[in-house]
Amino acid sequence: MQVQFGVLGPVVAWDGAGDAIALKGPRHRAVLARLIIARRRVVPVFRLVEDLWTDPPADAVGAVRTFVAALRRALEPERPPRAPARLLLTEGPGYALRAEPGAVDAWRFEQAVAATATLPPKEVFARLEEALGWWRGPAYAEFADQPWVRAERSRLAELRLHAVERQAEARLGLGLAAEAVPDLDAHVAEHPWREDAWRLLALALYRTGRQGDALAVLRRARTLLVEQLGVDPGPGLRGLEADILGHAAHLAPAPGPGGAAGRVWAQTAAAYDRTVPSGARVRLESTVGLLRNLAVTGGSGLQAARRHRVAAVAAAEELGDAELTARVIGVYDVPAIWTRVDDPEQAAQVVAAAERTLTALPPGGHEAARARLLATIALESRGPLPQARRAGRTPSARGPQAARQAEEIARRLDDAALLAFALNAVFMQTFHRAGLAPRRDEIGVELVALSARHGLATSEVLGHLIRLQARSALADFPGADHHATAADRLAERHELPLVGVFTQWYAALRTAATGPAAAAEAEAAYRNAAARLDGAGMPGLEHGLLPLALLCLRVQHAQPAQAEEHTDWGPYEPWARPLALLAQDRRSEAAAALRKVPDPPHDLLFEALWCLTAQAAIAVGDRQTMERAYIQLTPAAAELAGAGSGLLTLGPVSKHLSDLATALRRPR
């Protein structure tokens, strides 16, 4: 598999699986760096000696050969002895690294920047966002003081600065002037001699309604250039100042999709920033409201929303105002469909803050705030919460209690939005045993009707996804199809991209449930769905899910598990490992692993993991585990194992119960 090289930061190499390759000492990395700089051309041995040592030792040539030999072993570990090298070649008087054009991050970066010359702003921004993310520090970081790297470092640094400014220009072209200001402000502070950066910053400020700030920036640039360099600003800065003073029409954002919305956003944000004092408490509530909207975009937006949400809650608590803290915590009513917490420690912090705030609220009144705090506790109490354990209270006891209390208050207050939030919490606490798909379907029915009546779009989507899961568990695929279509339609109308992740996984499950003839098609569908998870911002969902889905597909069709030794099962490893060992004919190890398997967590995959455990127990003759599996799975006899997740299935639970009954010699 192709080796990748990184020089946009410390010099590194990665194998085809993305793992770092051990490159030994600094002179080994220096040889590699020097060959990368040569861009596939031959570097004579004498040149390498001169570059590596100021005062070369007597055996310098031999040392270089030793370094090259070690690099070859690291870069091509599976090359047979005496077979010719394919990557680091000996040619004539020296060596050449024949890396592919896309194998070096610096080369890819250069190509990406060049490609943006003819692209529209949206594609420019996206491509440069990705390319700038490849930088891990200054280029060739550990060789900054070496003469042989100086010119290349300077060239790459200049190219990076150009890319930053090109991306800022694309932002302005998309009507995102307010978002461009902070980055440009930092950019000119670090690189004050770049006139184009000053021009872009002033233009961004002008487009956000900050004409005075824009002119001040231009005057600051002029003062700096005159006093420090003794030169006047160039025509770009002079022309922009004249255009701003004359309110030139061409300075307005170009018309296009989102242009008007972008201008309104920028002007409103600027007005808010000017009008509301920086220390005002209302800013915290406004911030969390924005974070709520940011979360439903998925990807980096969801991750940023989670991170800043905790900071906002902490800031509210520092002010000592329980009512404000309750509002800051409670306004983040982001719908939740997945039952495993992405960040348990962060969830524990939110739960602890909500519990403290409940206690601190003055008695009497504040019922809606209490309900939102209780719903938050129930939603964030999915999975093991360290804070709850330290307090001597199990999450399974507190979560359902909090959900019930939130629902009671919401119904008493007749508050539709609050009830939708509470029903989401109730849904998250309906996994204490198997066979509860009908109950979850009832919640979904009410949530869809309630949300449609009151225009609660995100809650209506949640209701359809809950019903999609429940109807899948009950093998009602026409019904599940209806809810998948409804969820996709709402998601498109209200710009909710995360919904497509779940409906694509459902489509793969739907294919897997059609029978053995579709196994290959189902595997391909699962792999495509897994690719959709990459960067979706839900690590609690993505890690290990694809291997688990493929394992369930194999077990469903009575095929052995994946036998690859290095399969990353993620959090599902305890339940997958016995079957993987059985596939390798390691029966005694499988039996030992099965004895260590914990009970599955009470979540959307509860029945699926019990079915995997049951099949492993049958294979090794573990009667005690078979008995436990039979008892746990019996309430779900009418459901499809795992299909309640909307992600995967092992076929009818009744089939697994029948297998257990046969192995236990029970009457069916």
Side-chain angles (χ1 to χ4, degrees):
M1 298 179 72
Q2 189 183 64
V3 177
Q4 299 286 316
F5 300 95
V7 296
L8 300 180
V11 175
V12 293
W14 300 280
D15 62 19
D19 297 322
I21 296 173
L23 297 176
K24 295 195 174 182
R27 295 200 191 277
H28 295 77
R29 291 194 297 279
V31 170
L32 179 60
R34 184 64 184 83
L35 294 174
I36 290 173
I37 288 174
R39 300 181 76 95
R40 297 170 54 90
R41 294 188 296 272
V42 173
V43 180
V45 173
F46 79 84
R47 179 65 66 196
L48 290 172
V49 169
E50 290 177 354
D51 288 342
L52 263 59
W53 291 279
T54 303
D55 185 15
D59 63 342
V61 172
V64 168
R65 289 173 179 155
T66 300
F67 299 151
V68 169
L71 283 170
R72 281 175 174 158
R73 287 193 296 272
L75 299 176
E76 297 184 54
E78 297 179 2
R79 181 167 58 90
R82 293 183 295 280
R86 292 170 297 175
L87 189 56
L88 206 171
L89 309 183
T90 302
E91 291 193 8
Y95 303 101
L97 184 73
R98 301 298 189 192
E100 294 298 321
V104 179
D105 57 2
W107 302 352
R108 292 200 310 276
F109 182 75
E110 189 173 355
Q111 293 164 1
V113 174
T116 62
T118 57
L119 295 177
K122 185 175 182 179
E123 292 182 44
V124 170
F125 181 82
R127 190 164 298 195
L128 291 180
E129 181 82 359
E130 179 186 15
L132 287 166
W134 300 336
W135 285 75
R136 296 166 289 108
Y140 298 92
E142 68 267 56
F143 304 114
D145 58 346
Q146 298 298 315
W148 51 269
V149 78
R150 198 168 295 144
E152 180 67 2
R153 276 172 51 87
S154 177
R155 188 183 72 84
L156 289 171
E158 173 62 29
L159 188 63
R160 181 184 176 279
L161 295 177
H162 171 68
V164 169
E165 291 159 12
R166 182 92 175 85
Q167 186 188 39
E169 198 163 23
R171 259 196 173 124
L172 294 178
L174 292 168
L176 303 174
E179 289 86 339
V181 169
D183 289 344
L184 282 168
D185 206 10
H187 183 59
V188 298
E190 190 174 354
H191 307 283
W193 316 122
R194 298 185 68 83
E195 291 193 39
D196 206 40
W198 289 104
R199 180 186 65 80
L200 289 166
L201 175 58
L203 180 57
L205 288 166
Y206 179 78
R207 287 184 176 175
T208 60
R210 298 165 63 181
Q211 176 181 326
D213 290 338
L215 291 170
V217 160
L218 292 172
R219 289 170 190 140
R220 183 155 46 111
R222 179 191 297 109
T223 300
L224 188 71
L225 291 168
V226 170
E227 292 183 356
Q228 299 294 323
L229 298 181
V231 298
D232 290 324
L237 291 183
R238 295 197 307 271
L240 178 60
E241 185 173 20
D243 288 342
I244 288 176
L245 290 170
H247 300 287
H250 71 269
L251 294 185
R263 285 195 299 276
V264 170
W265 168 267
Q267 292 163 0
T268 304
Y272 187 95
D273 205 41
R274 288 193 305 270
T275 307
V276 181
S278 60
R281 298 185 176 197
V282 70
R283 280 188 175 245
L284 278 175
E285 293 181 74
S286 300
T287 297
V288 179
L290 289 173
L291 294 178
R292 181 196 182 280
N293 293 332
L294 185 63
V296 298
T297 66
S300 60
L302 177 55
Q303 294 170 330
R306 289 200 196 100
R307 183 173 65 253
H308 296 307
R309 175 198 185 192
V310 173
V313 171
E317 283 200 289
E318 284 178 11
L319 294 171
D321 185 335
E323 295 177 38
L324 171 66
T325 305
R327 293 196 299 272
V328 168
I329 293 174
V331 77
Y332 191 88
D333 56 351
V334 176
I337 188 67
W338 182 239
T339 46
R340 183 168 289 108
V341 176
D342 287 296
D343 189 334
E345 290 296 332
Q346 194 177 84
Q349 293 175 40
V350 173
V351 168
E355 294 282 19
R356 288 192 297 268
T357 307
L358 269 175
T359 303
L361 278 175
H366 307 293
E367 286 294 276
R370 291 182 190 280
R372 286 189 171 275
L373 290 170
L374 289 163
T376 299
I377 290 167
L379 278 169
E380 298 295 342
S381 295
R382 298 166 276 161
L385 295 181
Q387 183 66 29
R389 288 201 302 269
R390 285 195 292 272
R393 183 185 65 248
T394 61
S396 59
R398 178 54 170 155
Q401 177 195 54
R404 285 194 301 273
Q405 291 174 336
E407 182 186 8
E408 289 168 4
I409 295 172
R411 291 191 188 281
R412 188 167 65 247
L413 296 177
D414 195 24
D415 184 325
L418 183 58
L419 180 56
F421 190 19
L423 288 173
N424 194 179
V426 171
F427 161 73
M428 282 298 177
Q429 297 298 330
T430 56
F431 296 90
H432 51 281
R433 66 168 175 83
L436 290 173
R439 170 62 184 133
R440 293 194 281 275
D441 197 37
E442 292 172 1
I443 295 170
V445 169
E446 181 175 7
L447 199 49
V448 169
L450 173 76
S451 302
R453 281 199 308 273
H454 295 277
L456 306 173
T458 54
S459 295
E460 187 176 357
V461 169
L462 172 66
H464 283 297
L465 291 178
I466 290 173
R467 295 212 66 195
L468 177 155
Q469 293 174 338
R471 301 320 299 174
S472 295
L474 298 170
D476 175 16
F477 286 112
D481 290 344
H482 165 76
H483 293 293
T485 300
D488 279 334
R489 188 180 300 119
L490 285 166
E492 183 178 2
R493 186 186 314 156
H494 297 285
E495 297 180 319
L496 304 172
L498 277 181
V499 174
V501 174
F502 291 100
T503 55
Q504 185 170 349
W505 270 91
Y506 164 71
L509 155 65
R510 180 81 155 89
T511 303
T514 58
E521 184 182 351
E523 179 172 344
Y526 275 134
R527 292 189 185 279
N528 290 335
R532 185 80 176 267
L533 280 173
D534 187 23
M538 297 183 288
L541 175 62
E542 66 179 287
H543 191 202
L545 185 58
L546 176 60
L548 179 69
L550 298 181
L551 171 62
C552 291
L553 185 64
R554 294 188 181 199
V555 171
Q556 179 186 356
H557 300 312
Q559 297 174 345
Q562 301 97 302
E564 294 82 358
E565 187 66 33
H566 302 295
T567 299
D568 181 5
W569 297 104
Y572 314 111
E573 193 272 342
W575 299 276
R577 182 166 175 75
L579 290 169
L581 290 169
L582 285 167
Q584 300 170 32
D585 293 325
R586 296 158 65 180
R587 183 183 174 86
S588 60
E589 292 177 63
L594 185 62
R595 287 193 292 272
K596 298 177 183 177
V597 170
D599 284 356
H602 290 271
D603 62 18
L604 283 160
L605 293 172
F606 182 72
E607 294 92 342
L609 298 182
W610 263 120
C611 286
L612 294 178
T613 302
Q615 292 301 326
I618 292 169
V620 301
D622 184 336
R623 187 174 183 85
Q624 183 179 7
T625 301
M626 285 190 279
E627 292 279 7
R628 288 170 49 233
Y630 192 90
I631 292 169
Q632 293 290 337
L633 288 170
T634 295
E639 297 183 10
L640 292 181
S645 65
L647 305 170
L648 51 82
T649 184
L650 292 93
V653 172
S654 59
K655 168 64 168 59
H656 298 275
L657 288 171
S658 176
D659 292 344
L660 286 166
T662 299
L664 292 168
R665 298 181 181 175
R666 287 190 177 197
R668 300 187 189 181

